[in-house]
Amino acid sequence: MDEFEEPRAGPPIYALRSVFRVYETHREGDRLLYYGDPIVSPDVLERHVWPLFRDAGYEVTLQVRTGEHVLVAEPRSTGLDGVPWKNVVFALLTVVTTLFAGVEWYGATVSLDDPLSVLQTWPFAAAVLGVLGIHELGHYVMSRHHDVNATLPYFIPVPTIFGTMGAVIKMKGRIPDRKALFDIGVAGPLAGLAAAIVVTAIGLQLEPVAAGPVYGIGELNYPPLIRFIAASTGADLNPPGARVNPVVVGGWVGMFVTFLNLLPVGQLDGGHLVRAMLGERQETVAAMVPAGLFGLGGYLLLVQEVELQAITLWFFWGLIAIGLAYAGPATPVLDDELGARRMAVGVLTFVLGLLCFTPVPFTFVI
């Protein structure tokens, strides 16, 4: 492109004059580069130029290259570009790890002569993957609704007690406003929690399995929501001489993940919600989260005299919360207020999250 030649696809130069004085433009592959001098603060500049580039089909960022300010506009897309092979491979690997994790929960036997015998644990794998997958798909669907570029869920296969460390989606585009940030943040916990409730209710109607420690765990402790479901359906969470069906464990995992994700700090779902609900005041809330987690662990250890093994989780998450608080939450481009309806949904979501909390999630066999 020659100097001051109007870009063919991006916003015209005159539309930027009130915030960015352009003196040169270039095309770099699919990207458009606008070199110039900002005449307002970066925040004001972004709020002005972002919708112009978004309407033209681009995501824009202000960068400094060799001492020059440049608006870099990259084509944006919210659709899939071919088969998402990485997502597929990670999902298949997680199916394998959750199937093998289910072997211990069922007390099953898998023979090397018949490796497909591991498929007998498919209800456990389906419960865990279904709850986690629906949680992340809630985020993905709402991202598409608000035209924000996001990946499909990435499952994390790890040969642990549950066979996975969860699933994540990656947000590639900026969040337009607080409403979009709230909707994307709240969709995952609500969708995942609905799936966890259904899975738990189904699992409580299935046959219990033989009692005994699993992965060194003596027993899972159930949060109020699972206890309420059991009471409502007339099911027994502690069947005599047995353990509840492992499908219930899938619901337990979903509720536990919901609670952790709703911690109001950083890039967690709770951090998104509080940022959308309170704006920059979210920083005050986030700063209290690590102290609260360390305090919970200390109270259980020193006052309730719970074994350290059973509460190490809260000290671990306290450290994670420090890092998340330091990194900060997602920041929407337009920092406008939320309406009363979304505020009410946010409060309800946090209440539901508390119903998924239990101070000592599990105890160990010593």
Side-chain angles (χ1 to χ4, degrees):
M1 280 184 155
D2 296 328
E3 186 177 357
F4 286 108
E5 179 184 346
E6 289 286 355
R8 297 177 183 176
I13 292 173
Y14 72 82
L16 311 178
R17 286 176 181 166
S18 63
V19 293
F20 192 75
R21 189 173 292 113
V22 179
Y23 56 75
E24 187 176 354
T25 62
H26 289 291
R27 181 181 291 276
E28 190 179 82
D30 292 335
R31 295 190 293 183
L32 303 178
L33 308 180
Y34 294 69
Y35 289 86
D37 296 314
I39 56 179
V40 294
S41 68
D43 289 343
V44 174
L45 173 63
E46 183 181 47
R47 286 196 295 269
H48 181 87
V49 304
W50 185 83
L52 298 175
F53 282 92
R54 182 181 175 87
D55 291 343
Y58 289 88
E59 287 284 351
V60 64
T61 57
L62 176 64
Q63 300 179 13
V64 178
R65 295 188 175 188
T66 62
E68 295 181 287
H69 289 92
V70 54
L71 291 172
V72 180
E74 300 191 44
R76 58 187 301 274
S77 172
T78 54
L80 296 178
D81 184 15
V83 179
W85 288 113
K86 187 179 294 186
N87 301 79
V88 172
V89 169
F90 273 78
L92 291 176
L93 289 174
T94 310
V95 169
V96 173
T97 55
T98 50
L99 283 171
F100 277 98
V103 169
E104 183 111 352
W105 286 104
Y106 279 99
T109 301
V110 177
S111 170
L112 293 177
D113 296 330
D114 183 19
L116 292 181
S117 59
V118 73
L119 294 178
Q120 63 188 299
T121 68
W122 72 264
F124 170 82
V128 172
L129 295 180
V131 169
L132 297 178
I134 289 173
H135 178 118
E136 296 303 330
L137 283 175
H139 291 311
Y140 178 77
V141 169
M142 197 53 65
S143 297
R144 293 294 301 271
H145 174 74
H146 284 284
D147 202 23
V148 174
N149 193 7
T151 66
L152 286 171
Y154 289 94
F155 285 93
I156 306 173
V158 181
T160 61
I161 177 176
F162 304 119
T164 177
M165 292 293 289
V168 297
I169 67 170
K170 183 179 180 182
M171 308 295 295
K172 294 183 176 181
R174 289 298 308 275
I175 309 296
D177 50 35
R178 283 203 208 175
K179 292 179 181 178
L181 179 61
F182 178 87
D183 292 349
I184 294 170
V186 81
L190 291 183
L193 188 55
I197 291 172
V198 172
V199 164
T200 301
I202 292 173
L204 287 171
Q205 307 309 310
L206 299 177
E207 288 294 324
V209 296
V214 178
Y215 295 100
I217 292 178
E219 63 177 344
L220 293 179
N221 291 323
Y222 301 107
L225 188 53
I226 287 184
R227 295 184 181 279
F228 174 77
I229 295 170
S232 301
T233 58
D236 189 353
L237 286 171
N238 298 289
R243 288 185 284 107
V244 294
N245 191 281
V247 169
V248 177
V249 179
W252 185 95
V253 169
M255 294 185 193
F256 189 57
V257 167
T258 296
F259 171 76
L260 291 178
N261 267 297
L262 284 174
L263 291 175
V265 61
Q267 298 283 330
L268 295 178
D269 297 339
H272 293 325
L273 295 186
V274 175
R275 178 61 180 82
M277 296 168 71
L278 302 182
E280 294 182 357
R281 289 174 293 171
Q282 184 269 348
E283 295 178 0
T284 302
V285 177
M288 295 188 293
V289 173
L293 292 171
F294 288 134
L296 172 61
Y299 171 78
L300 292 173
L301 178 64
L302 301 176
V303 179
Q304 295 295 318
E305 298 183 351
V306 176
E307 293 175 354
L308 181 61
Q309 280 182 297
I311 59 172
T312 301
L313 175 75
W314 302 126
F315 294 113
F316 174 72
W317 269 90
L319 294 174
I320 291 178
I322 291 175
L324 291 171
Y326 179 79
T331 303
V333 176
L334 303 177
D335 214 350
D336 48 353
E337 298 289 336
L338 279 187
R341 184 177 64 177
R342 282 184 171 85
M343 292 290 286
V345 172
V347 171
L348 175 61
T349 302
F350 281 116
V351 170
L352 291 173
L354 288 175
L355 293 177
C356 297
F357 167 70
T358 180
V360 183
F362 36 73
T363 57
F364 291 88
V365 176
I366 306 299

